[in-house]
Amino acid sequence: MIGKSRKPKNIKFHNQRLVLSLMRQNAVISASEIAQRINLSITTVVKILAVLQENGLIKSMGKGSSTDEGGKKPELFAINESYKHVIAIYAGPDFIQAAVTDLNCRVISHHNYPYKVPESLEQSMQDIADCARAAMEENGLQPDDICAIPVGFDGIVDTESGIIYYPIHNSGWGRNIPAQEMLERRIPWSQNIVINNGSRYFSYGIFLEHPEYRDKNILTILAATSTGGCLIDHGKLIRGAHGFMGEVGHVIIQPAYRKRRCLCGRYGCFETLVSMEAVREYAAELAGEYGDHPLYSRIMDGEAMHRDLFALADQGDAFARSIVDRLVSVFESLIHNAALLCDPDLVAIGGAFTEGGAYFLEELRARISNQSFFEIGNKLSIVYSALDAEYSIVNINVGAALYAVDEYLRTLEFV
Ligand SMILES: [Zn+2]
């Protein structure tokens, strides 16, 4: 062990967490495989498994089919997924969604609830509390069965202070809302309510598909109807001083772009330059050359989606490529600025751009690696994230559940 010495008790909890994190990455696993993978003695691992099993956090799955060196079939273990549950809530602009997941972040149920009086802050917070209780009761759960209630909001949310500084869509709620405190008062049966920005929760879900990304400094860029993102440094969601970190949608890329004002009140924000409305504006500029193109009328009639554009660009269509080139250059500027401000080693692009296709990604990578000053192209990876194209609400809640379970298990210590 390098650095400060560890007390025996801390070593024990540290090892418990190592075993747990390995178990969470594997559906079933044997003691000897755990011992091998994390370099602990088999005796230590067997002891840890016994403690975890005694406490109900893991369960025996019977004997495996393969044999150990000794010729015996090893006992297999798995996380006891119903040890605790998460009620993950996304309080969006139009409705509230409450999802109940197990400890493996599998969604057991999810329901949408309307706001009773959307413009009333007090009533909306009460609605969220009511949803949480309804979700618990519907699944026959008790307060003790719930390890956490993560709640995602849109806008500038500071998880540390529990304040929503700026609820961008729910403008009737005002500003500087002590949402966490308001929810804690209304949900006295849970000690573990944590608010954050919905895009951050959504982005965090990337670790379900890519646990290896936990060793990286990742910038996620999500763009669909709305835009979000976040910075996750070695598995930690970075909030910044006020919760602004990762609000990529409002990074100003082209202040002189005056066709539409952003929801935030400014011009030329990233969000306004990559949306389907922007695509329509880019298409209109090309009307002289491509006005009779079939995609042109579909875009103008509001029937085309990002994916239609990307599919045609991949087929070599010149009109689609001219528009995609505009989108590429907006992404290029954002990533260029991000490299200077937070220097990620991986950029994961999600939302509608998950379906960006080969042309978009190749062009973007080429532009980034051609930036002579930085030559970051060699070091900065740009990938499509596995996060879904619709940027769907239930996946905000799945990411929130993963975040909540990670935090919960990080603090558990069994003696
Ligand atoms: Zn904006």
Side-chain angles (χ1 to χ4, degrees), residues 249-251 262-266 269 271-272:
H250 304 286
V251 172
C262 182
L263 271 178
C264 73
R266 305 293 301 257
C269 291
E271 181 168 305
T272 60

Side-chain angles (χ1 to χ4, degrees), residues 93-105:
D94 309 314
F95 61 87
I96 302 163
Q97 184 188 84
V100 175
T101 82
D102 63 18
L103 215 49
N104 288 335
C105 303

Side-chain angles (χ1 to χ4, degrees), residues 24-295:
R24 290 177 69 205
Q25 286 167 34
N26 294 272
V28 292
I29 194 163
S30 69
S32 63
E33 197 184 340
I34 296 173
Q36 227 170 46
R37 298 267 298 271
I38 56 181
N39 206 17
L40 287 174
S41 80
I42 184 95
T43 326
T44 307
V45 172
V46 167
K47 267 189 204 159
I48 292 172
L49 290 176
V51 170
L52 295 175
Q53 196 176 2
E54 217 175 273
N55 283 279
L57 188 52
I58 65 166
K59 57 185 181 182
S60 170
M61 300 298 281
K63 304 279 182 195
S65 48
S66 63
T67 53
D68 271 347
E69 317 83 76
K72 281 196 297 183
K73 289 179 176 171
E75 185 175 6
L76 298 176
F77 294 91
I79 294 283
N80 175 14
E81 70 281 1
S82 51
Y83 175 73
K84 292 283 175 188
H85 292 80
V86 176
I87 300 175
I89 295 176
Y90 170 66
D94 309 314
F95 61 87
I96 302 163
Q97 184 188 84
V100 175
T101 82
D102 63 18
L103 215 49
N104 288 335
C105 303
R106 194 179 58 91
V107 176
I108 293 168
S109 75
H110 64 92
H111 286 297
N112 295 345
Y113 304 84
Y115 290 106
K116 292 202 180 85
V117 188
E119 60 279 8
S120 159
L121 173 65
E122 294 283 330
Q123 182 59 47
S124 298
M125 292 295 144
Q126 188 56 48
D127 291 346
I128 294 169
D130 293 345
C131 291
R133 179 162 282 280
M136 178 174 71
E137 288 173 353
E138 271 166 20
N139 288 280
L141 298 167
Q142 301 293 322
D144 263 2
D145 300 323
I146 311 301
C147 65
I149 305 182
V151 187
F153 293 93
D154 288 353
I156 308 300
V157 184
D158 181 28
T159 186
E160 199 87 353
S161 61
I163 291 174
I164 305 172
Y165 286 114
Y166 189 115
I168 194 154
H169 300 120
N170 308 71
S171 52
W173 295 358
R175 301 274 188 274
N176 305 319
I177 302 153
Q180 176 145 346
E181 192 194 305
M182 294 180 81
L183 291 173
E184 281 169 353
R185 236 182 302 134
R186 290 165 175 81
I187 313 177
W189 47 271
S190 172
Q191 307 308 310
N192 200 3
I193 299 166
V194 52
I195 69 164
N196 211 327
N197 173 284
S199 303
R200 287 202 196 110
Y201 279 146
F202 183 88
S203 300
Y204 196 84
I206 201 170
F207 297 133
L208 281 171
E209 286 285 328
H210 293 283
E212 74 278 12
Y213 287 174
R214 287 183 188 269
D215 297 331
K216 294 187 180 297
N217 187 16
I218 311 168
L219 174 73
T220 63
I221 303 172
L222 310 165
T225 350
S226 63
T227 308
C230 78
L231 189 67
I232 316 176
D233 191 7
H234 293 78
K236 193 174 166 18
L237 280 177
I238 305 298
R239 56 184 271 274
H242 309 94
F244 285 123
M245 189 60 97
E247 277 293 330
V248 295
H250 304 286
V251 172
I252 296 172
I253 303 289
Q254 284 182 46
Y257 193 84
R258 295 281 154 155
K259 292 191 178 167
R260 255 172 313 114
R261 193 191 277 269
C262 182
L263 271 178
C264 73
R266 305 293 301 257
Y267 286 101
C269 291
F270 176 75
E271 181 168 305
T272 60
L273 299 176
V274 298
S275 63
M276 276 312 292
E277 280 166 298
V279 167
R280 200 173 306 133
E281 288 154 7
Y282 304 152
E285 289 171 26
L286 298 165
E289 210 176 334
Y290 296 103
D292 52 356
H293 193 289
L295 181 64

Side-chain angles (χ1 to χ4, degrees), residues 321-332:
R321 286 193 172 188
S322 322
I323 297 176
V324 172
D325 288 344
R326 297 280 296 264
L327 298 173
V328 166
S329 85
V330 176
F331 270 78
E332 180 196 4

